Amino acid sequence: MASDSRPHFPTRAVITGGMPYGNKNLHFGHIGGVFVPADFFARFLRDRIGKHNVLFVSGTDCYGSPIMEGYRKRKEAGYEGTITDYVKENHTAQKEALDAYGISLDLFGGSGLKPAAPFHEALTEDLIRRLYEKGHLIKLSTRQFYDVEAGQFLNGRQVQGRCPVRGCKSEKAYADECDLGHQFDPEELIAPVSQLTGTTPELRPVDNWYFDLPAFREELEALMDEWDADPQVRAVVTKTVRESLADPVIYVQNKFREAFDAVEGELPAHTIQEPQGNQQSFSVTFADWRARDAAREVLDAAGVRFRTGKTLLPFRITGNIDWGVPAPDLEGTHDLTVWCWPESLWAPISFSQTALALDEEEAFEGGTPRYFSHDWRAWWCDDNAAVYQFIGQDNIYFYCVAQPALWEALDWMLFQDTPIANHHILFMNKKASSSGKIAPPMAAELLEYYTPEQLRCHWLSLGLDQKAVSFSPKAFDTSVSHKDKKTGEDVLVKDDPRVADPALKESAFLTNIFNRLARSCFYGAQNACDGHLPVAAPHADVVEEAREATLAFECAAYGFDAHGALKVAEDYARAANKRWGDASKAAKGDDAAYDQALADAFVALRTTTLLMHAATPWGCEKICEHLAFDPDVFFSWEHAFEGPRELAALAGETPEQHALVPLPPRTDFFEKHPSQPKGRG
């Protein structure tokens, strides 16, 4: 690959990870599906463009009905703390899990916790008032579920039913969204049930503010055209968004045709698409969502059953639950809070403000500033900056439909982010959810059987950019492997030593190939070079192979293809390890030839360590430490094509002057977990 065809990176960048709800700890899907890919890219970018130019933020989503419902259940079980105490406990547990996996966030805040809460509340106030002043908010009287027996309005998670969106089979839909991310009005929910009393709730009118999302359909269509041409945006994003940009449609089963015909004259202007072939329903298309909603009332009154299609609807901004960010009083509305989804969209901005303010305060007290600029606009609005948001596929609607429209409406010069939407990470080939039937292992549980770097490499290698993939750790596999011939009892997969562990597939590279290459270099230098770098210059073809691998890795990382990037590094290191094995054997008794083989191996070790740094930071930094190079220089891509000789020269040393840090016998840079069998691989 020619250097002039290298991908272009921004001068500075913000990376965000999806925000976990404050009602639970993190399971493997949170870490493996979102945070590890985000951390891989954040670490890579710090090396690629400079750590002072990268801001990696996320935080606990403290507000909303899931938190209220979780807190209510804890209180019923005897919990005596406040809801803030409850959220803070979960936030602390989440932070500990992220730290254990080496997720290098500059700030993991909490939208309702200090120090981020004041920034988040101020930004929320400014943002909603600006939307109102620019005419993008609509006050609507909508109906909210009310439990008569409990005597209270219900928050979103206190109501469950079936999703009304055509084609969706979700049986777990809440007041206005299902667990697959479809949006709808509360009155559309099929067979609603109160989770408080098990009764059917009533719908009672309440006033709330909505963002006029349908007004931005043309802007969203234009953005999708841009994203289609952007190699960094995955096809699933634009495909999913375009499904929401359809005209408002109602689908009516053919058996209700006579009843429909009887009231068709009362409907707003519409067109009918007759059923094709064996279709069981016909469709009715309207000019806008208001006309469709008016038609729904007519059809409801006539007893005509129907389902709606996906379309842009006003995006709810405020709600009527107590636990939320206070909303500003507008046109006589009082005591409203902000719905958790919209405020979670701008939470990364308030988290950025928080991180930058903390750094500025530290610098004011005499510390060294960590970031290029303390002005959040230099990160979110500048032409030389970029924002990369790592999300799950089921959150595309919010981050790729609602958020771009909000940014356009605000007119704050916020540029559109680059969304990185991963497919679901399954558990034992089934979708796992902490609130579903299949309980996934918690992130902390996995570390009783695997090291963080083993799991990081495994998850990065799953290729979630392409499709949903199963995570099937042997230690948790309770399926039957076979029957014991002596006892006749079932032997579970997790107890069968003959069954390989899928979660350790990538670990063999770390604990065998990479370890062996590093040990060969250090022990070889200690034995033949008096603990210094080899004197010989590496072969030109070895230098070129390192350069080509570096460029290929960079290209894969630019496209968020972690699987492809790690394959480049592994293939390169395997070939280099074989070359070392062949050359070192052939050089027995020939000191000059051995020195040459060692010089070539050190180039491979330097390059492999640079490329693997984003995936396996601890082991790579240990290698750098024993190489005795400044990590800020060693891992900087300004020096990506410079081998150990050149790095020594930067420090004013010749190879024979550059002393390595002695490596004790049988040292591993990448260790197995104590629970795993000893031996190779």
Side-chain angles (χ1 to χ4, degrees):
M1 180 187 297
S3 58
D4 58 0
S5 64
R6 295 173 65 182
H8 172 73
F9 290 93
T11 301
R12 70 196 70 93
V14 178
I15 296 98
T16 76
M19 294 171 62
Y21 280 131
N23 62 336
K24 54 193 171 188
N25 203 339
L26 303 181
H27 63 66
F28 82 91
H30 297 119
I31 302 285
V34 174
F35 279 106
V36 166
D39 184 68
F40 175 82
F41 191 68
R43 288 180 180 272
F44 166 74
L45 267 192
R46 289 192 188 108
D47 291 346
R48 181 64 181 79
I49 66 174
K51 59 186 179 183
H52 59 289
N53 292 318
V54 176
L55 188 59
F56 181 21
V57 297
S58 183
T60 302
D61 195 350
C62 295
Y63 295 114
S65 56
I67 288 83
M68 290 185 68
E69 185 64 4
Y71 177 65
R72 180 184 68 82
K73 291 178 179 178
R74 280 287 300 276
K75 289 282 285 185
E76 289 180 350
Y79 182 70
E80 296 182 354
T82 67
I83 192 168
T84 302
D85 296 332
Y86 169 70
V87 170
K88 192 167 186 178
E89 288 176 14
N90 288 318
H91 168 77
T92 300
Q94 292 171 359
K95 179 68 165 60
E96 290 173 351
L98 292 167
D99 289 345
Y101 282 90
I103 308 303
S104 58
L105 287 153
D106 293 286
L107 179 83
F108 184 70
S111 54
L113 302 173
K114 291 182 178 179
F119 291 92
H120 190 58
E121 290 182 8
L123 177 64
T124 299
E125 172 90 14
D126 291 346
L127 190 147
I128 292 177
R129 287 197 179 278
R130 183 164 179 86
L131 290 175
Y132 175 76
E133 290 165 1
K134 294 185 74 66
H136 297 306
L137 293 187
I138 310 167
K139 185 167 71 170
L140 296 176
S141 180
T142 58
R143 293 188 290 173
Q144 183 172 330
F145 286 110
Y146 184 86
D147 188 318
V148 177
E149 185 174 317
Q152 68 178 69
F153 281 104
L154 302 175
N155 64 52
R157 292 298 174 105
Q158 291 175 334
V159 182
Q160 282 193 25
R162 300 199 306 274
C163 180
V165 174
R166 183 174 182 263
C168 182
K169 300 184 184 302
S170 174
E171 296 288 331
K172 195 171 185 180
Y174 305 109
D176 50 14
E177 64 173 324
C178 76
D179 60 346
L180 298 179
H182 296 140
Q183 303 294 299
F184 45 82
D185 290 330
E187 50 261 46
E188 295 182 80
L189 181 65
I190 299 171
V193 176
S194 167
Q195 299 303 290
L196 298 185
T197 63
T199 60
T200 300
E202 295 180 354
L203 281 166
R204 295 188 177 183
V206 292
D207 287 341
N208 271 298
W209 289 98
Y210 287 73
F211 170 59
D212 190 5
L213 180 57
F216 292 87
R217 177 173 171 176
E218 289 186 8
E219 287 83 355
L220 288 170
E221 288 174 339
L223 179 61
M224 293 311 102
D225 291 340
E226 292 180 21
W227 279 356
D228 275 334
D230 188 337
Q232 288 190 304
V233 179
R234 294 168 180 165
V236 66
V237 171
T238 52
K239 177 181 180 295
T240 303
V241 173
R242 282 200 163 93
E243 290 174 354
S244 298
L245 303 183
D247 292 328
V249 175
I250 286 175
Y251 298 92
V252 183
Q253 290 184 334
N254 296 334
K255 63 182 180 181
F256 291 102
R257 186 57 184 261
E258 185 176 341
F260 173 85
D261 290 342
V263 296
E264 182 185 0
E266 301 175 34
L267 302 180
H270 60 274
T271 58
I272 295 176
Q273 177 68 48
E274 299 295 346
Q276 303 294 314
N278 295 324
Q279 287 182 344
Q280 300 299 306
S281 62
F282 60 96
S283 62
V284 187
T285 303
F286 299 89
D288 55 39
W289 66 272
R290 293 181 185 276
R292 191 198 70 171
D293 280 6
R296 283 172 43 201
E297 293 183 8
V298 173
L299 297 178
D300 271 335
V304 177
R305 292 179 58 187
F306 58 86
R307 284 211 170 190
T308 55
K310 297 178 184 178
T311 192
L312 293 180
L313 295 171
F315 186 60
R316 184 155 63 95
I317 296 294
T318 64
N320 306 87
I321 65 174
D322 295 332
W323 180 241
V325 182
D329 293 344
L330 301 171
E331 292 187 11
T333 58
H334 303 287
D335 301 323
L336 297 179
T337 55
V338 181
W339 185 37
C340 63
W341 258 116
E343 50 99 357
S344 71
L345 297 178
W346 55 77
I349 298 179
S350 62
F351 290 157
S352 299
Q353 293 173 331
T354 306
L356 296 172
L358 291 174
D359 187 61
E360 186 174 27
E361 181 179 330
E362 186 175 326
F364 181 77
E365 294 176 355
T368 301
R370 183 173 182 178
Y371 305 112
F372 162 83
S373 171
H374 292 128
D375 182 357
W376 71 271
R377 295 171 187 81
W379 300 82
W380 286 84
C381 307
D382 193 281
D383 289 341
N384 294 316
V387 175
Y388 303 96
Q389 295 194 288
F390 285 77
I391 60 174
Q393 185 182 350
D394 52 355
N395 290 336
I396 288 176
Y397 181 86
F398 297 103
Y399 287 95
C400 306
V401 178
Q403 180 181 282
L406 281 167
W407 278 199
E408 184 75 23
L410 285 168
D411 195 25
W412 275 349
M413 304 303 291
L414 290 161
F415 49 75
Q416 298 304 338
D417 66 304
T418 300
I420 304 97
N422 277 342
H423 290 266
H424 294 296
I425 181 169
L426 309 176
F427 181 63
M428 302 297 178
N429 289 306
K430 296 181 179 179
K431 184 178 179 183
S433 168
S434 54
S435 58
K437 295 180 180 178
I438 303 173
M442 303 308 289
E445 282 183 87
L446 290 170
L447 297 181
E448 298 175 10
Y449 302 91
Y450 305 94
T451 70
E453 292 191 315
Q454 287 176 331
L455 291 171
R456 284 172 66 99
C457 282
H458 180 61
W459 288 328
L460 289 170
S461 296
L462 290 179
L464 295 173
D465 56 313
Q466 300 295 323
K467 60 182 179 180
V469 183
S470 179
F471 173 53
S472 304
K474 180 183 175 182
F476 291 81
D477 193 340
T478 56
S479 63
V480 176
S481 170
H482 65 281
K483 286 189 179 294
D484 187 281
K485 291 182 179 180
K486 293 182 179 180
T487 65
E489 295 180 353
D490 289 340
V491 176
L492 304 182
V493 169
K494 70 184 185 70
D495 300 321
D496 190 343
R498 301 175 303 174
V499 177
D501 191 338
L504 291 178
K505 180 181 178 183
E506 295 74 24
S507 178
F509 166 65
L510 297 179
T511 59
N512 186 4
I513 303 299
F514 200 176
N515 259 336
R516 187 190 305 168
L517 179 62
R519 288 195 298 250
S520 296
C521 287
F522 289 116
Y523 293 145
Q526 287 172 193
N527 292 331
C529 307
D530 193 29
H532 294 73
L533 289 175
V535 175
H539 282 117
D541 61 334
V542 170
V543 174
E544 180 58 23
E545 286 175 11
R547 177 179 176 278
E548 288 298 321
T550 302
L551 291 172
F553 183 97
E554 178 186 59
C555 190
Y558 173 80
F560 313 111
D561 178 10
H563 168 75
L566 294 191
K567 186 176 188 306
V568 168
E570 180 173 342
D571 289 349
Y572 169 75
R574 286 184 180 277
N577 206 43
K578 184 178 185 306
R579 180 176 59 229
W580 158 255
D582 294 342
S584 59
K585 287 178 184 177
K588 284 185 177 180
D590 186 339
D591 290 347
Y594 188 85
D595 192 70
Q596 180 66 65
L598 202 55
D600 291 344
F602 264 101
V603 169
L605 177 62
R606 183 275 185 278
T607 298
T608 304
T609 306
L610 172 67
L611 301 188
M612 291 296 295
H613 184 223
T616 56
W618 295 296
C620 289
E621 286 164 11
K622 186 176 179 180
I623 291 173
C624 177
E625 178 185 340
H626 280 273
L627 285 169
F629 288 123
D630 179 351
D632 288 342
V633 175
F634 184 85
F635 291 114
S636 170
W637 275 61
E638 289 184 16
H639 308 290
F641 304 110
E642 295 168 358
R645 291 171 61 86
E646 291 77 18
L647 293 176
L650 287 173
E653 299 173 323
T654 63
E656 55 268 38
Q657 291 173 331
H658 185 79
L660 305 171
V661 175
L663 188 67
R666 296 182 295 278
T667 296
D668 280 333
F669 293 95
F670 303 95
E671 299 181 351
K672 290 186 174 183
H673 191 276
S675 68
Q676 295 166 8
K678 304 299 180 183
R680 296 180 61 192

